[in-house]
Amino acid sequence: MDTAAFPSADEQQRILNDASTAIKRSAFHMRKAIEDDNMRDALKHAAGMLAELRTSQLQPQKYYELYMLVFDQLAHLEAFFSDERGKGRSYGELYELVQHAGNVLPRLYLMVAVGCLYIKSLEASPRDVLKDLVEMCKGVQHPTRGLFLRAYLCQRAKGLLPDTGSQFEGPSSGSIQDALDFLMTNFIEMNKLWVRLQHQGSARDKEKRERERQQLQDLVGKNLTYLSQLDGLSFELYRDQVLPRVLDQITSCRDDLAQLYLMQALIQGFPDRFHLGTLEALLGVLPQLQPGVKVHSVMAALMDRLAKYASAAAAAGSDPRVIEELAAIDAFSKFKAAIASIITSQPHLAAADAVEMYTALLSYAGSVHPGVLSYVDEVLAAAQSTLGDRGPGLGGDVRAERQLVALLSVPLVKYGVSASLELKEYTPLTRLLRYSTHKELAVKIVQRVLDTSVAPPAKTATNGDPSSASPSSASPSSSASPPAVGSIISSVAQVISLFRFIAPLVADPDSPGEAGGAAELDDEDLDEEQVLVARLLHHLRSPDPDTHFHILRTAQSQLLAGGPRRLRTTLPALVFGGLALHRRLAAPQKQQQKKQKQAEEAEEAEGRKEAEEADGQGADGAEEKGAGEGEGEGAAAKDGGEKEEAEEATGAEAEVAKPTVITCEALLQFLLSAIEPLYGGPAGQPVIAMRLLLACGYAASEEAHLELLSYTFFEEAITLYDEALPDQRTRAAALYDIIGYLQRCRVFGPEHRDSLTSAVSSACMRLVSRREQCRALCAAACLWWQQTQTGAAAGAAAGADKAAAADKAEAAGDGLEAAAAEGGGGKAEAEAEEGAVAVAGVYPPVRDGAKVVALLRRAAKVAAQAKAQYGSTGRVRDAAYLGAYLELLDAAMRMWDCEVPGVDLELVQELIDRVQSDLAAGVQPDAATARRWQSTLSYITASAAQHKERYGKLKLPPAAAA
């Protein structure tokens, strides 16, 4: 064995160049001798060319270059030998002739070249020639030279083996057994030479030498590839002869690189059905491998190969028994036991490698047994047992931690989030992660819940029976389900598990000082995280109202534990989830009231019908008949309408078939307490809190008809407005929100309505800008003149607004938009109700013209004060008082259109004249006010052109009239 160091790289390059030159020179003379038909000289120069391969000074990579030069030239020599046979010289003579070469290596190359032609000609028994060649090659024991010699023999003998059904098979020629013996012998000898390559050269070049060995591994693997391609290789031959000899060679070589490559070549090279029948033998050899072998990659490759085989067979329907066979041999338990055995036999096995094996096992279970959750818990429990003593962060092993995240991600992909929440062993494993890593996993879990492209997971079984849920049970035709909208978490237990899974997103780390908490994040990064949680809250709901309410309470308790900064983003989404439940609870009450009203109307119609029949008894027959037909048609039409309305109520009745414990009142009380943290302090979002209170107050009024609760919500909103909104622009916008919600509420009696409207009027006067005061007072005037909608328009408006509100609330990214959506959707519904049914506890629309006129006059007084301020200061910016008059003019025209008593032509004309006179006096309005004035005049002109008598009587400025 040559253990001397190789020459330097430059010296090796010189040796390679010299040897290449010598090979080309000898090849030239060989080809010339072939042209001259000179056998002696051709063999002499061929031997000289092959003698260059006897060098020991080149590393395998450079030796390979020499080998390829020689290999290309040997093709000319083989063609020459074929021509010689045509001239009457037998291959037997040539086979003996080339054995006279002086050196062993050239002699063996020439013997292989002639021997393969000898076999192909059928002049000799393939069995004898192949056995002779494979045994003669043992004469070269130098690792590099011997490896390439046997690689040449293996490549040239391909297609000449006595395989079953080939032309070389026969009683005297050989059988499949001889082909197996040849390839196995050559494989064993090549593997020995390949392993010995690690001992060539100096110790300091070991790493480089291992890389070169890795580049030569395919030369050894070709033998196994040719073995697997034999037509006569049956499962019995593989099980009884091939596999035992290969495994024996793998375990006996005791080389990390060789064992890893050969195991992978064995798994990837031979058919899947062979592995299925020899699974125990394959798994049994794994603990015997060297500690340095990456056993986890071998296990992963084997499990992945069988999982793909089973899935493909089941999907294609070619062999549905594959999964049954895997279940029959209990492959899962065998894999699990093998992993445990490997971990026990290798105490120093890296944690990441152990977790990788469990990840592969979990992927295998998810592919072969997609519905058996008990297998998942078994794998997670085994991983916990292996890693539990390492503590959080796995002792700082970042690679193991990443692999653990991959393990915990497998159930989410294979089984879905809803099924994963049933796993008992999932949460203990998450505690082994650092806070920051666990947060990354939590984000993946939330995104998986929100992912609308995820198809519903396969049916799961928890009894451990693989046959109860398999890939073959899923038919492509069963996909006629509604489009996926993400996962819905519909039980309290699942919600509790979910918050345990995503704990880092809703709470700070348990250990003080651990990185990643809310204190280390700025508001933007924290809000980005919490928006995911807010969106998640909309996926926590149940068809059962009581369960839904318990889910909301559970979510609230989890969110409150996360600290005030997180609540700013998540609480609004929770409140809107509660309002969605409130709409479901209030719908049956509306249906009941609607049915009661219909029954009363039916009784009144019946009474009117009987009275009309009694009055018409003295009329002639024709009149009676005509009356009867008319009444019959009317009754039929009414009955048809009642039937349609009854059918519309069916859905709501079905939903309340089960008695519901939770009431609208209790739910609204819960929402009131849920909003309180947003009033102020670190979680303070007073504007959002106020709008949430308004949305809840409106729901209490128009959906539940609870006057006191609705009053409480509006009272809290107004108090919050007074105490927590210092910015004037914000106060003005918030005041319009209050007026908008309150104007559509009809549950308040005179006392409560007077109290709220007085507070709103006072708030209008506390605005600093007189123009804003005037605008707010004009808006407040609408509180005393409520509008109604009737007929199909109301129903259509309710449906459209409700859909828009639901879309906005679903995003929950912006609490302001969500509040507006909630209020708008409910308002349209209330308007539709007003036009259809008189609901108990709801007052008729307020129509108090005197109060409207009083507020408009108060606004006019404010506008006059603004004008006086302009006259006192003369400042250009104070000319904005014209905008106040325009606000008043627009409000007066709206009330005039609504025919409010006291708002008449004289009032509108007075306001027009006042603005026009000031403009004529030289007051210069700002650009926005000027555009608005022109827009108002254009509206009046267009209205007058449409034959509206009232607008035609208005006197406009000459320019506008023209």
Side-chain angles (χ1 to χ4, degrees), residues 343-512:
I343 294 175
T344 303
S345 63
Q346 298 185 11
H348 301 292
L349 181 69
D353 296 343
V355 178
E356 185 174 344
M357 287 190 287
Y358 285 120
T359 304
L361 178 58
L362 199 54
S363 298
Y364 166 83
S367 298
V368 180
H369 310 297
V372 187
L373 281 178
S374 59
Y375 283 171
V376 183
D377 262 334
E378 287 184 35
V379 175
L380 297 181
Q384 169 67 20
S385 176
T386 303
L387 305 174
D389 58 344
R390 298 175 181 264
L394 299 177
D397 191 343
V398 178
R399 177 168 164 262
E401 202 175 18
R402 292 295 178 188
Q403 194 61 48
L404 182 56
V405 171
L407 171 67
L408 293 171
S409 300
V410 172
L412 305 176
V413 177
K414 296 288 185 179
Y415 298 88
V417 177
S418 297
S420 300
L421 294 175
E422 305 293 337
L423 300 174
K424 299 178 181 179
E425 303 295 338
Y426 197 97
T427 303
L429 270 179
T430 60
R431 298 194 186 104
L432 298 178
L433 299 171
R434 290 176 300 163
Y435 181 84
S436 56
T437 309
H438 189 183
K439 182 184 290 187
E440 296 176 6
L441 175 64
V443 170
K444 290 182 179 180
I445 294 173
V446 174
Q447 289 173 340
R448 192 73 187 177
V449 175
L450 303 177
D451 189 0
T452 58
S453 65
V454 176
K459 182 180 179 181
T460 58
T462 57
N463 57 2
D465 181 10
S467 62
S468 63
S470 63
S472 60
S473 63
S475 172
S477 62
S478 63
S479 60
S481 57
V485 293
S487 301
I488 300 300
I489 313 302
S490 57
S491 72
V492 177
Q494 285 185 328
V495 170
I496 294 174
S497 296
L498 178 62
F499 277 103
R500 289 174 182 167
F501 286 11
I502 64 168
L505 287 178
V506 295
D508 286 331
D510 296 333
S511 303

Side-chain angles (χ1 to χ4, degrees), residues 816-850:
L816 307 183
E817 293 184 1
E822 180 66 28
K827 293 169 186 177
E829 293 177 8
E831 291 172 354
E833 283 294 316
E834 290 172 10
V837 181
V839 181
V842 176
Y843 290 88
V846 175
R847 299 293 181 86
D848 192 337

